[in-house]
Amino acid sequence: MSDLNKSTLTQITNLIKTKKISSLEVTKFFIKNIEKAKKLNTFITTCFEKSLKDAKNFDIKKNYNGLLPGIPLAVKDLFCTKNIKTTAGSKILENFIPAYESSVTNNLWLEGAIILGKLNCDEFAMGSSNETSYFGNVINPIGKNLVPGGSSGGSAGALAANLTPATIGTDTGGSIRQPASFTGTVGLKPTYGLCSRWGIVAFASSLDQAGPMTKNVEDCALLLEAMSGYDPKDSTSINKKKEQYSKNLNENIKGLKIGIPKEYRIDNMPKEIDNIWNKGIDILKKSGATIVNISLPHTNYALPTYYIVAPAEASSNLARYDGVKYGYRSKKGKNLTEMYENTRGEGFGREVKRRVLIGTYVLSSGYYDAYYLKAQKVRKLIKNDFDESFKKIDAILTPSTPSSAFKFGEKTNDPISMYLNDIFTVPVNLAGIPAISIPGGVDNKGYPMGLQLIAKALDEQKILNIALTMEKAINFKNSINRWWEN
Amino acid sequence: MSIDKSQVKKVAKLSRISLDDKNLDSLSNDLALILKFVEQLNKLDTNNVKPLNSIVDKSLEPRKDQVNDGKIKEEILKNSPDKNEDFFIVPKVVE
């Protein structure tokens, strides 16, 4: 039997299709890995009984037509899963069992995948280190004292530790790409509207997108193909034919024009990030691409814009948590209003409260124009920057994050320093365009750091192809010794 | 513009979030910091810029007004913290 700790999603898919291994064997292997990795705290819920039953069923039916035949997968606990607890990392949803399945996870199961469990994340996906989860910190498999990034920290951690052959996360301001960068894995935020938002616990609806998190680019293309597609249940879903990202994946990037935005060379950026970025530029040149220096003049305003738009949308999305129809309810309070206030006061964590309060403030009478409307206008300018650039170039190369993984507690006392983590990822969400993070190399501590490729809307294939080319040349290997199994 | 404690109290009330004095103090500090940070936007002249309301270049598609789901009353009620037969129970609202 081949070593499944060294196998990619695509390889396991082929092993199952060629009957070299059964779905049950693969499923049992990952369950064993998960059971040995409790220390990492990547899972909020496991459902092994169902996983094994589904695997056995697959092996009886032997339907190899799907893209993910008999593949066990764990998903971020922000996707509603029918009859399986879905918490969004929050106390307020501690016991919530959805009566429906999110469209994106449903797509995975229709392609033959099997659920392993639900992965830890920042509460309501609000965080960049997975330290805001009600269910505790996730430990980065790269090192005991390191955060995995966030908000899809459990997803990135489980993937890097090989507790799932691939996974899906959500990305509102960098929540797929930043943890991918911190764990030496690949993560893609698709074009807004490519993957359905139906059944995903909503954070900021104009920014939220689900996307694949994988060990390499080939897997990323496969999983994106499986999860994406038009969904009439999401009014912002793009109605177009499904792309065959896997089949069309190739390394021919000759003649492509790649932009290097000068605004992403920020002050105090570690020198190693610059080095990794320059190395990426060299690879692109050698592969026949043309490098073009560009300017995205409003980049510096992306983060402040995001911290108005996202909390504003969150404050209205989270109004539904009132302790009446589902979720946690406080026992304190003399009347309905007090019950609401106590439920939300006790049920939400600190970061969620911060954002709901900010959001309510910027939308409140007398402040709406000064904050929210202003932010919507600047958002337009940020989008215009990208639109103008993509008239001249095919893609943009930047670092994914301004640093490698940091230590627990290092940024928890200062919200702004935590928010700055997303400085390179947030502009993409504001513009609704796709971006992928791939491992670019390691810093002097040996921690992975990612490179980000950005394209115009619906140009996922282009950045996948460029990423594949760069991945081959960079030849990154994660040095993880499975220390948590001792 | 800066935010003071009484404004935070008001926003907490609007948000239906109870805050004790300790949390009120520290969240007021956080909020003041965050607002100062986002106020960088005031450096930009946006008088002639149209706000971006939606990233998707289409008007939302209406769907037919027909039932396509349902008959899961029990499953829905199962998640309620307090219920009685077919009703959600809340604290008394009428004296």
Side-chain angles (χ1 to χ4, degrees):
Chain A
M1 196 168 112
S2 41
D3 182 358
L4 291 181
N5 272 335
K6 292 193 178 115
S7 305
T8 65
L9 171 68
T10 309
Q11 286 165 344
I12 298 172
T13 303
N14 290 333
L15 289 173
I16 291 181
K17 277 186 181 168
T18 52
K19 297 176 192 157
K20 295 214 170 67
I21 195 165
S22 68
S23 170
L24 187 62
E25 284 171 292
V26 177
T27 305
K28 279 183 173 166
F29 173 87
F30 282 101
I31 289 175
K32 215 167 138 194
N33 267 2
I34 295 164
E35 281 173 337
K36 285 191 282 186
K38 294 220 167 81
K39 271 182 208 165
L40 300 176
N41 198 31
T42 51
F43 278 78
I44 292 176
T45 305
T46 54
C47 46
F48 297 152
E49 237 172 80
K50 177 174 166 53
S51 322
L52 293 168
K53 201 179 111 208
D54 289 355
K56 278 176 201 158
N57 274 338
F58 175 86
D59 288 334
I60 293 165
K61 286 187 188 149
K62 291 189 169 55
N63 178 356
Y64 300 112
N65 295 330
L67 290 169
L68 306 166
I71 298 285
L73 288 180
V75 301
K76 185 177 185 177
D77 205 16
L78 210 68
F79 296 93
C80 284
T81 41
K82 192 173 178 175
N83 299 329
I84 299 171
K85 198 171 74 170
T86 300
T87 71
S90 181
K91 178 181 179 179
I92 216 159
L93 285 177
E94 196 177 2
N95 297 310
F96 175 56
I97 299 174
Y100 48 84
E101 186 77 29
S102 85
S103 294
V104 157
T105 47
N106 198 42
N107 286 346
L108 301 180
W109 319 142
L110 288 174
E111 294 290 350
I114 287 163
I115 188 164
L116 281 169
K118 306 295 292 289
L119 295 163
N120 206 340
C121 57
D122 278 300
E123 185 179 3
F124 288 106
M126 297 176 191
S128 306
S129 64
N130 217 114
E131 290 171 290
T132 75
S133 169
Y134 175 65
F135 301 92
N137 293 343
V138 169
I139 295 169
N140 190 334
I142 301 289
K144 270 174 220 181
N145 52 0
L146 295 178
V147 304
S151 69
S152 311
S155 298
L159 175 65
N162 203 37
L163 313 183
T164 178
T167 181
I168 55 172
T170 58
D171 190 317
T172 304
S175 285
I176 286 175
R177 291 159 288 154
Q178 185 253 18
S181 178
F182 280 15
T183 53
T185 56
V186 174
L188 185 143
K189 194 230 52 115
T191 304
Y192 184 79
L194 189 72
C195 295
S196 172
R197 288 181 297 110
W198 196 82
I200 303 175
V201 176
F203 161 16
S205 304
S206 81
L207 303 159
D208 295 344
Q209 256 302 285
M213 301 175 76
T214 56
K215 289 181 192 164
N216 67 14
V217 176
E218 188 185 26
D219 289 358
C220 191
L222 177 65
L223 196 54
L224 180 63
E225 195 172 321
M227 70 192 287
S228 59
Y230 174 61
D231 178 14
K233 286 192 278 195
D234 172 358
S235 58
T236 56
S237 175
I238 300 171
N239 193 351
K240 66 183 252 314
K241 220 181 100 223
K242 218 171 151 99
E243 298 287 334
Q244 294 185 296
Y245 300 110
S246 285
K247 201 177 134 194
N248 298 326
L249 194 64
N250 70 69
E251 289 169 63
N252 184 9
I253 64 162
K254 221 169 232 161
L256 290 187
K257 293 196 183 82
I258 314 288
I260 307 297
K262 65 173 185 209
E263 290 79 8
Y264 283 62
R265 275 187 212 282
I266 54 168
D267 296 340
N268 304 323
M269 194 159 77
K271 220 181 110 220
E272 296 125 305
I273 295 193
D274 234 11
N275 293 344
I276 286 172
W277 196 6
N278 289 332
K279 211 175 80 188
I281 293 170
D282 282 343
I283 291 169
L284 290 171
K285 278 185 194 158
K286 279 185 193 134
S287 311
T290 311
I291 300 298
V292 185
N293 287 319
I294 62 163
S295 171
L296 299 165
H298 297 94
T299 299
N300 277 341
Y301 297 102
L303 217 45
T305 302
Y306 178 84
Y307 276 97
I308 293 172
V309 173
E313 294 183 16
S315 75
S316 40
N317 272 328
L318 270 58
R320 72 191 68 177
Y321 303 104
D322 59 3
V324 175
K325 295 181 287 302
Y326 49 84
Y328 172 81
R329 178 189 289 191
S330 172
K331 298 204 168 38
K332 287 188 276 177
K334 295 188 292 292
N335 54 42
L336 186 64
T337 304
E338 282 183 26
M339 186 279 278
Y340 289 151
E341 290 173 344
N342 290 319
T343 292
R344 293 162 64 80
E346 293 162 26
F348 290 147
R350 188 180 173 85
E351 182 61 27
V352 173
K353 283 180 194 160
R354 253 184 215 142
R355 298 207 197 182
V356 170
L357 294 175
I358 284 282
T360 305
Y361 181 73
V362 300
L363 290 174
S364 64
S365 152
Y367 299 99
Y368 181 92
D369 285 4
Y371 291 103
Y372 189 66
L373 193 68
K374 180 86 187 180
Q376 282 185 309
K377 288 179 171 184
V378 182
R379 187 175 179 184
K380 178 77 183 169
L381 295 174
I382 291 162
K383 187 175 180 296
N384 286 349
D385 282 357
F386 283 110
D387 288 348
E388 281 306 309
S389 290
F390 287 123
K391 285 178 186 162
K392 296 169 287 194
I393 54 167
D394 295 285
I396 296 171
L397 180 75
T398 75
S400 303
T401 52
S403 78
S404 60
F406 47 88
K407 293 192 177 82
F408 291 103
E410 205 177 301
K411 296 176 197 277
T412 37
N413 292 328
D414 177 1
I416 303 295
S417 83
M418 186 67 90
Y419 297 170
L420 285 170
N421 258 290
D422 299 330
I423 191 161
F424 298 147
T425 47
V426 151
V428 162
N429 299 75
L430 291 171
I433 53 180
I436 187 172
S437 175
I438 59 165
V442 292
D443 65 5
N444 58 5
K445 290 170 279 189
Y447 304 160
M449 287 187 303
L451 284 172
Q452 175 177 239
L453 286 156
I454 307 168
K456 69 172 194 290
L458 298 174
D459 250 357
E460 275 81 0
Q461 189 73 55
K462 207 175 262 174
I463 45 174
L464 283 166
N465 289 352
I466 303 168
L468 182 73
T469 310
M470 296 187 69
E471 178 184 66
K472 289 257 167 84
I474 293 168
N475 194 24
F476 176 84
K477 294 270 182 295
N478 235 344
S479 53
I480 293 179
N481 62 8
R482 312 194 71 76
W483 52 267
W484 57 88
E485 289 186 349
N486 302 320
Chain B
M1 269 183 278
S2 186
I3 192 162
D4 59 35
K5 232 194 284 181
S6 70
Q7 282 172 299
V8 176
K9 225 173 186 166
K10 190 185 156 208
V11 173
K13 189 79 197 166
L14 289 172
S15 311
R16 297 285 182 269
I17 294 178
S18 67
L19 292 180
D20 57 25
D21 286 345
K22 205 178 121 220
N23 275 317
L24 182 68
D25 278 347
S26 67
L27 278 166
S28 299
N29 287 336
D30 289 355
L31 261 56
L33 271 175
I34 295 167
L35 287 171
K36 194 174 158 237
F37 176 70
V38 302
E39 280 164 13
Q40 288 176 64
L41 298 188
N42 293 335
K43 284 190 258 171
L44 277 176
D45 177 5
T46 51
N47 277 332
N48 297 316
V49 183
K50 267 200 196 156
L52 190 149
N53 293 314
S54 169
I55 210 73
V56 178
D57 260 346
K58 65 167 190 182
S59 47
L60 300 181
E61 279 173 50
R63 59 167 172 78
K64 287 211 176 87
D65 186 18
Q66 60 190 23
V67 178
N68 54 19
D69 197 0
K71 300 205 168 73
I72 51 167
K73 186 173 72 190
E74 262 139 53
E75 283 173 73
I76 299 285
L77 280 165
K78 217 163 53 190
N79 275 305
S80 173
D82 197 4
K83 59 190 169 285
N84 183 3
E85 291 176 14
D86 287 355
F87 297 95
F88 298 115
I89 306 289
V90 293
K92 200 171 162 185
V93 281
V94 184
E95 288 304 322

